Amino acid sequence: MKSNRQEEILRVIREREIETQEQLLLALRERGYQSTQATISRDIRELRLVKELSGSGRYKYAVSARKAGVNLAERLRTIFKEAVTSFDVAQNIIVLKTMPALASGACSALDSMHIPDMVGTLAGDDTAILIMRTNEAAEAFCNELHAMMQ
């Protein structure tokens, strides 16, 4: 699925110096992801990957240092549209139910957003736990999620 493939793309570019989309496509195939060049191109755009000069003097794909243009609501909507099936709150803990095998990707995306009141996440296969600083923060975050789902 898309979120798993995009997480794998991020892992690949952290581990290797990837200069071209073709190299990225081959690296993903080695890891069991079958994709097309057009899909990889869209993933690169959605992940906002850029080419930067590496230590070896070559240009490689990297995550953009600029986070401008990506807002929290847009990213959360995308996560929920593709992965989350339901959620509920219990004191300062939010429990997310996802499609099978997508809880980890949802947690990773949420962790990368650096949500101020979120202490951390924990994922299983289809269930994720978000630990918030306070009961009020968990309630507020759930209200935001509920509004987004409508």
Side-chain angles (χ1 to χ4, degrees), residues 102-114:
L102 296 182
S104 181
C107 282
S108 179
L110 288 165
D111 287 337
S112 73
M113 286 186 245
H114 307 290

Side-chain angles (χ1 to χ4, degrees), residues 40-52:
I40 296 302
S41 183
R42 270 191 305 276
D43 287 338
I44 287 169
R45 187 174 54 254
E46 288 175 16
L47 292 169
R48 299 182 190 277
L49 300 182
V50 296
K51 285 203 172 178
E52 67 179 23

Side-chain angles (χ1 to χ4, degrees), residues 9-148:
I9 287 170
L10 294 174
R11 272 192 285 281
V12 167
I13 66 169
R14 277 193 305 265
E15 295 170 4
R16 299 184 190 180
E17 288 191 3
I18 301 292
E19 297 179 56
T20 66
Q21 290 182 10
E22 185 176 313
Q23 287 176 336
L24 183 56
L25 194 57
L26 290 173
L28 288 172
R29 285 185 182 152
E30 288 171 6
R31 295 171 183 223
Y33 289 88
Q34 296 301 316
S35 194
T36 65
Q37 188 276 329
T39 300
I40 296 302
S41 183
R42 270 191 305 276
D43 287 338
I44 287 169
R45 187 174 54 254
E46 288 175 16
L47 292 169
R48 299 182 190 277
L49 300 182
V50 296
K51 285 203 172 178
E52 67 179 23
L53 194 59
S54 70
S56 65
R58 294 182 168 161
Y59 282 91
K60 67 174 185 162
Y61 281 106
V63 177
S64 173
R66 281 187 22 208
K67 292 188 179 180
V70 179
N71 68 37
L72 177 63
E74 179 184 326
R75 290 186 70 191
L76 284 175
R77 258 194 236 40
T78 300
I79 293 166
F80 273 68
K81 186 169 101 176
E82 295 186 18
V84 178
T85 59
S86 67
F87 60 91
D88 202 356
V89 64
Q91 294 184 4
N92 70 320
I93 296 173
I94 300 169
V95 177
L96 300 178
K97 293 300 236 173
T98 69
M99 299 294 290
L102 296 182
S104 181
C107 282
S108 179
L110 288 165
D111 287 337
S112 73
M113 286 186 245
H114 307 290
I115 299 166
D117 288 323
M118 189 172 70
V119 177
T121 63
L122 181 65
D125 180 58
D126 63 354
T127 305
I129 296 174
L130 285 60
I131 302 157
M132 306 302 284
R133 292 197 187 285
T134 65
N135 296 356
E136 295 76 22
E139 235 5 274
F141 195 70
C142 270
N143 289 338
E144 185 179 337
L145 297 177
H146 187 349
M148 250 187 279

